[in-house]
Amino acid sequence: MASGGRPSGSAPTGGPRRRRPQEKPTPKRLKRLHGTAVAAAAAGRARTRAAARRIGQLPPPPGPFRPGFWRSPIRGPWLTSVFGLVLLIGIPLLFITGLLSYASYNPDLSPLNDETPDKGVLGFYLFSWPTHPYWLYRLLQGVHVTLGVVLVPVLLAKLWSVIPKLFEWLPVRSIAHGLERLSLLMLVGGVIFEFVTGIFNIQLYYVFPGSFYRLHFYGAWVFIAAFVVHVCLRRGRMTRALRSRGLGAELRTDLAHTVPEPPDPDGLVAAAPAPPTMSRRGALGMVGAGSLLLLMVTAGQSIGGWLRGTALLAPHNRDPGSGPNSFQINKTAAKVGVTPALVGPSWRLEVHGRGAPRVFTREQLLAMPQHAAALPIACVEGWSTEDQHWSGLRLADLAALAGLPDAGSVLVQSIQPPGPFTRVVLRGNQIRDPRALLALRVNGVDLSLDHGYPARIIVPANPGVNNTKWVHRLTFRA
């Protein structure tokens, strides 16, 4: 025996042990393992279904989750579908005019024009914005803003008609139901976000945590994606509901003969309806009257003339005074920091291009051949002016003076302190339009300071903010 008390020749207890060769998987063993996995999965599914049944048997929480909470006797698939049909027509028109409004800024021309620089594939549709017809932007933005305001009562009525769906119990019953609920959440959240930000922008109430343009643009894409999914899921049900009763018959049904719709699988019809206090005819009339009223107090800011006085929701001066410069503006010179000292006798226009820059006083510009154009100003908030009679120098002539008669673009810079839209880039087609001017006068007199004295840009079908005021430098590029 060895001195350590361990039999000689025995291996140390802590030493390495010989590994047993791995057992090769046999078909019988694989089959056994597969059967075990299948049985475990089945057991898991059974436990999940049992848990779901137990949860489903729990009574709904008190309040709006209880079916008896919603008791309106006129709520049902037909009324919801009528409001939905109006939105099905109006919302795509809103979306298209909004996208065209974004395209009018020529965002793919220069980062200076683009308030949404990370748009990526969402800018797939962009094209060179035309200058014909000259009233194109005025029409598009007037329709976009006015329609958005007019649809507010319809939207609120639609949300009221489906509000029981927002408090369904259980909130999620299956994967398919969960996806539908997610699309509904995105739809409701998206539409509220888009309408609220749009109305705030009309009122110049900028409380957004970032650029309105960026938030409204991305919000529109999220909302329209949810809208398309929702329409695809509900199209059949909406069609059946609209065919279930005639509009004419409902418009002839008074309060005394108003009864609830038959029970529906979506749970919109009240389980225990209260006596009616309004007919469906009355509900449709109230929503229609609300939309008509909003049309009357909004459309005037786009149509102009005597109707401008009716645009009570327009924050811009509905009565800008009298005289040749008495037409609407977005912001005054004082508000943006342009003082008379900045545009006094020392003001010069710099024209850059091929060769040495050219510098002109206002008197020298007035001594050159003058051209005229009758063009409106239309702004993203939906307001616009009638055609004003501008006179000044054609941008095409200034491009020729810069040695670039076929210029592909021009960088316009304002003397206004730095901020959004104090610089803008215009396309070659905008430069070459004979109505595109560096305007020096309007309606037979000098521009007022608020309207851009000593010189401003005016281009057909161009958004108002891109008709830069207080211009001091033009840089033409090939």
Side-chain angles (χ1 to χ4, degrees), residues 76-309:
W78 183 85
L79 189 62
T80 296
S81 297
V82 171
F83 295 138
L85 181 62
V86 176
L87 294 177
L88 185 60
I89 298 170
I91 284 177
L93 183 56
L94 272 181
F95 182 67
I96 291 171
T97 53
L99 290 186
L100 291 175
S101 175
Y102 176 65
S104 69
Y105 286 78
N106 285 317
D108 57 337
L109 178 63
S110 168
L112 295 177
N113 295 15
D114 195 0
E115 289 288 320
T116 56
D118 302 322
K119 60 185 177 297
V121 297
L122 298 182
F124 70 92
Y125 69 95
L126 295 175
F127 54 95
S128 299
W129 188 250
T131 57
H132 298 271
Y134 73 90
W135 40 260
L136 178 61
Y137 185 77
R138 183 183 186 190
L139 173 66
L140 287 174
Q141 200 58 21
V143 169
H144 182 73
V145 170
T146 303
L147 180 60
V149 173
V150 167
L151 285 179
V152 167
V154 184
L155 173 66
L156 294 177
K158 177 68 162 61
L159 292 176
W160 168 85
S161 72
V162 298
I163 196 169
K165 295 289 292 180
L166 301 179
F167 295 93
E168 260 187 358
W169 187 260
L170 294 166
V172 177
R173 295 192 293 269
S174 65
I175 294 177
H177 184 250
L179 291 175
E180 181 182 351
R181 298 285 290 172
L182 179 61
S183 71
L184 183 63
L185 179 63
M186 293 173 60
L187 181 72
V188 174
V191 73
I192 292 174
F193 178 83
E194 285 299 290
F195 274 75
V196 168
T197 55
I199 291 172
F200 279 5
N201 179 64
I202 296 170
Q203 298 300 317
L204 303 179
Y205 187 55
Y206 296 110
V207 292
F208 317 114
S211 166
F212 160 76
Y213 298 90
R214 183 177 301 184
L215 294 172
H216 205 63
F217 178 80
Y218 291 132
W221 279 106
V222 172
F223 165 62
I224 204 66
F227 180 78
V228 170
V229 171
H230 185 73
V231 169
C232 291
L233 292 172
R234 294 287 176 173
R235 183 183 58 184
R237 298 180 189 179
M238 185 180 79
T239 302
R240 289 191 297 271
L242 290 173
R243 290 175 176 172
S244 67
R245 47 183 67 209
L247 178 62
E250 284 297 329
L251 294 180
R252 291 190 298 270
T253 303
D254 59 14
L255 179 62
H257 295 88
T258 297
V259 296
E261 295 183 43
D264 69 304
D266 291 326
L268 294 179
V269 178
T277 57
M278 176 182 290
S279 65
R280 294 181 186 86
R281 177 178 66 183
L284 293 173
M286 182 177 66
V287 173
S291 291
L292 180 61
L293 178 62
L294 289 177
L295 175 65
M296 293 171 58
V297 298
T298 303
Q301 67 173 345
S302 301
I303 298 172
W306 64 269
L307 286 173
R308 191 173 302 280

Side-chain angles (χ1 to χ4, degrees), residues 156-477:
L156 294 177
K158 177 68 162 61
L159 292 176
W160 168 85
S161 72
V162 298
I163 196 169
K165 295 289 292 180
L166 301 179
F167 295 93
E168 260 187 358
W169 187 260
L170 294 166
V172 177
R173 295 192 293 269
S174 65
I175 294 177
H177 184 250
L179 291 175
E180 181 182 351
R181 298 285 290 172
L182 179 61
S183 71
L184 183 63
L185 179 63
M186 293 173 60
L187 181 72
V188 174
V191 73
I192 292 174
F193 178 83
E194 285 299 290
F195 274 75
V196 168
T197 55
I199 291 172
F200 279 5
N201 179 64
I202 296 170
Q203 298 300 317
L204 303 179
Y205 187 55
Y206 296 110
V207 292
F208 317 114
S211 166
F212 160 76
Y213 298 90
R214 183 177 301 184
L215 294 172
H216 205 63
F217 178 80
Y218 291 132
W221 279 106
V222 172
F223 165 62
I224 204 66
F227 180 78
V228 170
V229 171
H230 185 73
V231 169
C232 291
L233 292 172
R234 294 287 176 173
R235 183 183 58 184
R237 298 180 189 179
M238 185 180 79
T239 302
R240 289 191 297 271
L242 290 173
R243 290 175 176 172
S244 67
R245 47 183 67 209
L247 178 62
E250 284 297 329
L251 294 180
R252 291 190 298 270
T253 303
D254 59 14
L255 179 62
H257 295 88
T258 297
V259 296
E261 295 183 43
D264 69 304
D266 291 326
L268 294 179
V269 178
T277 57
M278 176 182 290
S279 65
R280 294 181 186 86
R281 177 178 66 183
L284 293 173
M286 182 177 66
V287 173
S291 291
L292 180 61
L293 178 62
L294 289 177
L295 175 65
M296 293 171 58
V297 298
T298 303
Q301 67 173 345
S302 301
I303 298 172
W306 64 269
L307 286 173
R308 191 173 302 280
T310 68
L312 302 179
L313 294 185
H316 303 279
N317 45 340
R318 294 189 300 276
D319 182 16
S322 59
N325 276 277
S326 60
F327 53 95
Q328 279 64 31
I329 58 173
N330 195 326
K331 295 179 182 178
T332 65
K335 188 169 184 177
V336 299
V338 175
T339 63
L342 291 174
V343 295
S346 61
W347 175 88
R348 298 291 184 271
L349 175 71
E350 299 177 16
V351 180
H352 296 252
R354 183 174 290 135
R358 306 284 297 273
V359 180
F360 303 93
T361 65
R362 193 170 190 276
E363 289 71 23
Q364 290 173 322
L365 296 175
L366 286 169
M368 297 179 182
Q370 304 290 296
H371 299 272
L375 298 172
I377 294 177
C379 211
V380 69
E381 292 91 359
W383 64 269
S384 59
T385 71
E386 294 83 5
D387 292 355
Q388 307 298 322
H389 296 273
W390 311 87
S391 62
L393 305 178
R394 286 177 175 165
L395 293 182
D397 295 339
L398 291 170
L401 281 176
L404 291 169
D406 296 320
S409 65
V410 60
L411 169 63
V412 182
Q413 293 174 269
S414 173
I415 205 168
Q416 176 184 343
F421 302 109
T422 58
R423 299 182 296 165
V424 71
V425 178
L426 301 176
R427 286 190 183 275
N429 67 311
Q430 295 174 310
I431 297 170
R432 288 185 288 275
D433 192 294
R435 296 164 296 180
L437 303 177
L438 177 73
L440 305 173
R441 295 166 62 83
V442 65
N443 298 324
V445 300
D446 288 344
L447 296 167
S448 68
L449 184 59
D450 286 341
H451 281 298
Y453 179 89
R456 70 168 296 162
I457 293 293
I458 186 73
V459 172
N462 205 31
V465 291
N466 282 3
N467 289 324
T468 309
K469 297 191 283 189
W470 311 295
V471 175
H472 83 101
R473 181 179 296 164
L474 298 172
T475 305
F476 292 92
R477 299 163 177 169

Side-chain angles (χ1 to χ4, degrees), residues 34-80:
H34 176 71
T36 303
V38 169
R45 288 194 297 269
R47 286 194 296 270
T48 302
R49 287 194 295 268
R53 282 195 298 270
R54 287 195 297 272
I55 295 174
Q57 292 170 355
L58 293 175
F65 290 96
R66 297 285 175 91
F69 184 86
W70 308 103
R71 302 190 62 199
S72 171
I74 64 172
R75 186 184 279 116
W78 183 85
L79 189 62
T80 296

